[in-house]
Amino acid sequence: MRADTVVTGMGVVAPTGLGHAEHWAGTLRGASAIGPVTRFDAGRYPSRLAGEVASFVPEDHLPSRLLPQTDHMTRMALVASDWALADAGVDPGRLPEYGVGVVTAASAGGFEFGHRELQNLWRHGPQHVSAYQSFAWFYAVNTGQISIRHGLRGPAGALVTDQAGGLDALGQARRQLRRGQPMVLAGAVDGSPCPWGWVAHVSTGRMSEEPDPARAYRPFDTEAGGYVPGEGGALLVLESEEAARARGAARRYGRLAGYAATFDPPPGSGRPPNLLRAARAALDDADLRPGEVDVVFADAAGTPEEDAIEAEALRTLFGPRGVPVTAPKTMTGRLSAGGPALDVATALLALREGVIPPTVNIARPLPEHTLDLVTAPRRTPLATALILARGHGGFNSALVVTGPRRPGRATTPQRQESKPS
Amino acid sequence: MRTATHRRAVITGIGIVAPGAIGAKPFWDLLVSGRTATRTITSFDAAPYRSRMAAECDFDPVAEGLTPRQIRRMDRAAQFAVVAAREGIEDSGIDRGALDGARIGVVLGSAVGCTTSLENEYAVVSDSGARWLVDHSYAVPHLFDYFVPGSIAAEVAHDRIGAEGPVSLVSTGCTSGLDAVGRAADLIEEGEADVMVAGATEAPISPITVACFDAIKATSPDNDRPSEASRPFDRTRRGFVLGEGAAVFVLEEREHALRRGAEVYAEIAGFASRSNAFHMTGLRPDGVEMAEAIRVALAEARTDPSAIDYVNAHGSGTRQNDRHETAAFKRSLGAHAHRTPISSIKSMIGHSLGAIGSLEIAACALAIRHDAIPPTANLREPDPECDLDYVPLEARSLPVENVLTVGSGFGGFQSAMVLSGPGARGGSAA
Amino acid sequence: MNQLTTDRLMEIIRDCAGEGDPIEAAGGRPEDLDFAALGYDSLALLETLGRLEREFGVAIQEDEFARATTPAQLTTLVNRLLAAVS
C-alpha cells in the first residue's frame, strides 16, 4: 500500500502577508496586495502593477553573510524555509543524516541578480562580474541555498515548468517520500519584479496594462485583460505519515492525496488542451470522484482564451456551477512558480478553517463560464481541494489535498504496488 | 526501492550533439580515439577573459534540418536538444503512430537554460549595456521562452514525439543531465509514462557564463594549449574547460521495448542524489555525500561494487573535484575502487554543465554496447592524490556490463547512476 | 599614493561577504587571524579579490593571493603591488 504524504509545516512569504497566519488573515479579508511597482521605476513599461511582498526586509531575517550572494527571491525562499521547518517543529540536526530532501521549482532564477551582473559585464567588462553570479542566477539556487542553510543532505531537485512547477515540485517530493525518504521540504518562492524580468513579462502580450489595481487582474470576468506578476510563494514540509508519527509531529495540515501533470499539444494541432486530463488524473491518483471535491483553486490565467479553457475543463469535470471555484491569487498577482505552491498552502488552511477564501475584483463574471466563483469568504465544511496550475508553453499540473477532517482513505485499495521487504 | 513496481526503464535510442561530433556514432568514435575537442573560443571574442577556451560544437542548424522559423525561435540549447531528440527517436525505431501521446513524457536537463539568448537580448534592449532601457519592444516576441527555460522541454515535446504526458525541465546545475534521466526513469517505473524522451542540453559559451567562471577561477587559464587544457586527475590540472552539447535518449518501460522488438542499450538500474549541504561552489575533501549517492544507487540496482566494470567519473579537472571524487570512489567502492577502470570524458569534450551528465550516460551506454571504455585524455602525470586507474590516454577493450556514472554540481548536488547491459539483469524482476 | 589599510580591507570584505564570525576575545588582533577563522570562505575571498583589483587597479597573482591568508598579509600584498606600479 502506498504511504500517505502529509503536510506538517508551511512557510509562507506572500504579498498578502509574512507567515501563513498573516497571509490567511489578509486573504480572508480580501485585502488585495496588488499595487504600483516600487522595486524599480516601472514608468517606462506598459504595465506598472505588481504583487510585491512589501513588508519583507531581508536584513530582519537573514545573516548579512547571505545577502551579497543572493537574489531577492532566494532571500524570501530562505526565510520561508526557516518558517516551514519551525512550523513543523523540526530540528534537522536530529533527523537521520540523509533524511530530508529539498525540491523547489523556479521560473527565471535569480533574474534581478543576473541582470545586474549582465550590466556589470557589458558596461564595465568581465572583471566586474561577481563571483556569486556562478550560482545566484541559476535555477537550482534556492534548493542549494536551503539545503546548506539547514544541513539537509537528502535528494535535491529543482524543476522549471513555469508556474506549473509550484505543483510539480510537490509531486516530485511525494515521489521521493514513496521511495522511502522520510521528509522533503518542497514548493516554490519565486518572482522577478525587476526591470529585465519586466521586459520578459511584457513580451508575452498577456500582461495587464490596466493602471487601476482593482481592475488589473480579473480572471473569469467579462473584462479579463491579462495578468499581474508578483513575488513570493510557499514551502511545505512533507513527510510520510509513518515518519511524521515516528517523530511525534504535532500537526497535519492535510494530505497530498493526488497529483498529475500533462502537456498540451502544439498550437494549431486541432487537438484539445490537456488541463482537464491533468485534473482527472490527479483525482484518479487520489482515488476520488469529482463529486468529492469541495473547492477548486483555479489557475486563473486572466486572459479570455485561457480562462475559457479552464472554465470548460471545470464544467466538463464537475458540471455547470458544479463546484465552488476560487482564485485568491487575484490578491497577489501571479507569483510564477511560487503561485501554485502558495495556493496549496492556502487550500490547506481553507480546509482546516472550513472557509473558502474569496476571488476579489470580479465585478461581472462571464456567464458562459458557468462557474460557481466564490467572491466573498464562504463558510462550509471542506474536506478536499483541487489545485490547478498552468505554465507558459503548455504545462498543466493538478494536485489534490485532503484536510485533517478527512483522516484519509487509508483503507481504500490503492494502485497495485508491492514493496520488497 | 527501484524494483518495487517491477516496471523497469531501458534506453532504446541515443541522440548526440557534442563538440567534435554530431551524432552518436561520431561521438563514440571521438571518445575512443582519445582526441580532444577543446579549442580557443570562436563564438565571441574572448580576448579579455581569463579562460578563453571551450569545447564548441560545429553545429549548423540548417544542415541539421531545423527550419528558419525554429532557428529564430529557439535558443542554441533548444536547437541542440531538438536535433539530439530526433536522432534518439529515430535510433529507437519507435513507431509514434502506435503510441498514445498521454503515455509519453519529456524530461530535459539544463543548468543555465537559454542564457546565451537572454544575454543577446539584453544587449539588444540596452544598446550593448550603454543604457537601460532603449526600448522593451526591441526584444524578440518569444523572449519569455528564454526567460523560463521549461520552453526547451516544450520544444522537444512538440517537435517529433508529440508528448502529452508529464513534461519538465530539471535544473540542478551540473548534475541536471543525470537527474533528468533519473527522473524520467522514475516516471516510467511508477507508471506515469511508458516512453520518456529524456536527456539534457546546454549551450553556455557566452560572455556572462565565461565571466562568472573566470570570477571564481574554476576554468582553466592554460590558453596557450587549448587542446590539452582539460586534464582531469593530472597533477598539473588547472580547472575545467567549458563545453556545450546535448544527449537525448528514448527511455522505455522494458516490457514495452521488448514487445516491439527494440534493441536495448542499457537499463537504468539504479539512481540516487544527495546534497552536501556544505557550500554553493566548494566540496568537502572526504566525498561523503557522493559516496552515499553511489551506495544508494548500487543498492537500488542490487549490484555489488565488485560487479562494476567501468566508472564514468565527473572528473572536471578542478583541483578540488578530482580529489573529492577519488575519496568518494574509495569510500563507496572499497578495494574495488583500485581495480575498476575510471575515466573522464570531460578531458575530450569539456564540461557542458547541465548537459554533461547525459552525454556521460550516453558514453556509458555505448561502452556497454561496444565493450570498450573511453580514456582520460591528457592524463600524462597522474596526481599522486588521485591514485586510481584513471585510464590515461588510450581506450581499452573489455567486457562491460555494469557501469557507474557520477556527477557533482554547484549547489552541493551529488548524483550517481548505475546502468546495466541488456543481458545483465535477466528477464524477471531481480 | 593610494594605500590599503586593514580597516579599509575589512570594510571591503564586509561589503562583499557580510559580517564575519564573532572573534574570540583571547584571539589576538583580528587582522592576524586566518580568513577562515574570521568566517570568510574561498568564495568570499574571490569576491573580495575582484573588488580589490578593480578598486585599486592592481593585478593580483593567484598563487600570491592564495598565500595571503590573513587580512594583514593581504593588505601588505596589495600595498606592495601598489608601490610597484607607482
Side-chain angles (χ1 to χ4, degrees), chain A residues 115-135:
Chain A
H115 180 209
R116 191 175 68 223
E117 298 308 323
L118 281 171
Q119 254 164 349
N120 286 338
L121 170 63
W122 283 78
R123 270 194 202 154
H124 306 296
Q127 288 74 26
H128 292 255
V129 172
S130 164
Y132 305 129
Q133 166 68 5
S134 58
F135 56 82

Side-chain angles (χ1 to χ4, degrees), chain B residues 272-274 288-298 414-416:
Chain B
S273 77
R274 292 293 182 265
V288 174
E289 293 83 8
M290 180 184 276
E292 173 68 8
I294 293 170
R295 192 190 65 72
V296 176
L298 286 168
Q414 313 294 326
S415 295

